[in-house]
Amino acid sequence: MENTKGISRARFLAGAAAVGLAGAVLPTGQATASEASEASEASEAGGGASGHRGLKHRGVVYTLGEGETPGTAWSAARMRRDVRVIRDQLHADTLDVTGDDVERLTTTAAEAAERGLHVWLQPTLGDIPERDVLESIAECGRFAERLRRQGASVDFSVGCEFWLFVPGIVPGETVLERVENLQKGTVDMPKMQRRLARFTAKAAKVGRSVFHGRLSYAAAQDEEFEPVDWNLFDVVGIDYYSYHREPSAYIRELKRYQRWGKPLAITEFGTCTYAGAPEAGGMGWDVVDHTKTPEEIKGDLVRSEHTQAAYMTDLLKVFESMGLYAAMAFEFVTPDAPHRPDNPRYDIDMASYAITKPIKDDPNDPNSNWHWEPKEAFRSLARQYANCP
């Protein structure tokens, strides 16, 4: 149904649901004296376990979906052009390759490796049996290991918030049903977390059995909601959508994940493209009425590429000051959320976290072909990425 499509195409819902349901975003406000002290210490010492300033890897999430219409169907030729742009114009050194099809994942990972990019490979499959999820992890992990042995720079993530995507952890046959059950407050949380821990351990074991480089997982940022045993992994991965008024608050929040003494990767960060979106945190996507045909923006939002760009570049400065292992902007493009400069009511790109805007050749034809154009966030990140140490 239409509502399910709207959620599935926005993978950031994974982190968003945890933020919205478990209150991961801390109250905004002025920094306390202790927070300011932490910020100063982090700035002076690099803040991270690595002990140096700057990110080791800077990248962007590249989500591989099959497309909702013939016009937005996945294209290998388009992917290859995008990878070149990501390297040469965005100045990223890392491509976070994620999605729900092993062939698309491995083809894109190979292209990124051939272009000299660091590959962060992460299968993200939803609403399929547990055994099939584990099989896809094994297939992708074996491919990542082949790339690594051939000399490519590769990290392998076994997946993204399993509680949302893997049936049997939270009641519900689909992502939408699981989110609804969580929102109702009827889920047995201790039981959910035990199931989640068991599956995460299984996934880590499968990943270790086939891949011998750095292993990770992309978790929701609320540790009370999704506690992860990071002893299972080499890199702590967090999908991060907080909003604070002061950099010190971000630093205080992120330092919690460094207590494991392992590299910290921000596996997703970003915001939508309208005034006020950062304050909505991970729930910024929830401004589209998916029951309408065509879908339309709810309320009287004001498009603001500057808001998106400023938030992302400010966060990137925090990550650089802490010397984090990696940060991947979410995301490169969302083909099924087109930009309509002529009609704000149907400018679905406002609800997109992407740093490029898809524009249809014929805005009134759902099956129309399309191209993307860079947003201000693309240009701002490109400048920062180009100047990273």
Side-chain angles (χ1 to χ4, degrees), residues 159-194:
C160 175
E161 289 109 337
F162 289 138
W163 56 269
L164 180 72
F165 289 102
V166 180
I169 296 174
V170 172
E173 294 184 3
T174 67
V175 166
L176 180 59
E177 289 180 6
R178 291 190 283 279
V179 169
E180 289 176 342
N181 286 331
L182 285 165
Q183 289 174 328
K184 291 175 183 175
T186 58
V187 175
D188 184 330
M189 296 303 289
K191 181 182 289 187
M192 181 277 282
Q193 291 175 338
R194 288 194 296 271

Side-chain angles (χ1 to χ4, degrees), residues 115-341:
R115 297 291 173 185
L117 293 170
H118 174 72
V119 177
W120 182 282
L121 180 58
Q122 176 180 287
T124 304
L125 292 89
D127 302 341
I128 65 173
E130 176 180 306
R131 64 180 180 276
D132 293 339
V133 175
L134 294 173
E135 183 179 336
S136 74
I137 292 172
E139 287 187 62
C140 289
R142 282 190 286 266
F143 186 82
E145 178 63 14
R146 287 199 295 273
L147 287 179
R148 192 185 71 85
R149 292 188 176 186
Q150 292 167 5
S153 178
V154 185
D155 287 340
F156 182 56
S157 171
V158 297
C160 175
E161 289 109 337
F162 289 138
W163 56 269
L164 180 72
F165 289 102
V166 180
I169 296 174
V170 172
E173 294 184 3
T174 67
V175 166
L176 180 59
E177 289 180 6
R178 291 190 283 279
V179 169
E180 289 176 342
N181 286 331
L182 285 165
Q183 289 174 328
K184 291 175 183 175
T186 58
V187 175
D188 184 330
M189 296 303 289
K191 181 182 289 187
M192 181 277 282
Q193 291 175 338
R194 288 194 296 271
R195 291 171 175 169
L196 177 60
R198 283 196 294 270
F199 185 80
T200 304
K202 284 183 184 179
K205 184 177 181 180
V206 170
R208 288 277 183 217
S209 71
V210 295
F211 181 73
H212 306 300
R214 290 175 297 268
L215 194 71
S216 190
Y217 168 69
Q221 68 191 63
D222 186 346
E223 292 183 289
E224 292 185 5
F225 179 82
E226 185 181 9
V228 177
D229 179 5
W230 291 108
N231 291 311
L232 298 169
F233 302 100
D234 304 305
V235 179
V236 175
I238 301 296
D239 292 343
Y240 192 66
Y241 292 98
S242 280
Y243 172 76
H244 300 292
R245 294 202 173 128
E246 299 295 334
S248 58
Y250 293 113
I251 292 171
R252 174 173 58 85
E253 193 170 53
L254 290 168
K255 274 189 169 183
R256 297 202 308 257
Y257 305 108
Q258 295 182 319
R259 69 183 186 276
W260 296 87
K262 297 189 175 188
L264 173 59
I266 304 301
T267 42
E268 294 180 9
F269 76 97
T271 192
C272 296
T273 319
Y274 59 88
E279 289 87 337
M283 296 300 292
W285 58 273
D286 192 22
V287 293
V288 179
D289 187 342
H290 298 289
T291 66
K292 300 273 184 75
T293 303
E295 298 172 335
E296 63 181 52
I297 296 293
K298 295 183 287 188
D300 298 312
L301 298 186
V302 176
R303 181 180 181 87
S304 176
E305 293 190 14
H306 179 73
T307 295
Q308 182 191 39
Y311 172 80
M312 296 183 78
T313 53
D314 285 348
L315 263 186
L316 193 60
K317 290 174 185 175
V318 170
F319 303 152
E320 290 170 351
S321 76
M322 297 181 71
L324 301 189
Y325 178 68
M328 275 78 81
F330 187 81
E331 63 178 332
F332 183 72
V333 66
T334 307
D336 291 297
H339 172 46
R340 285 289 297 267

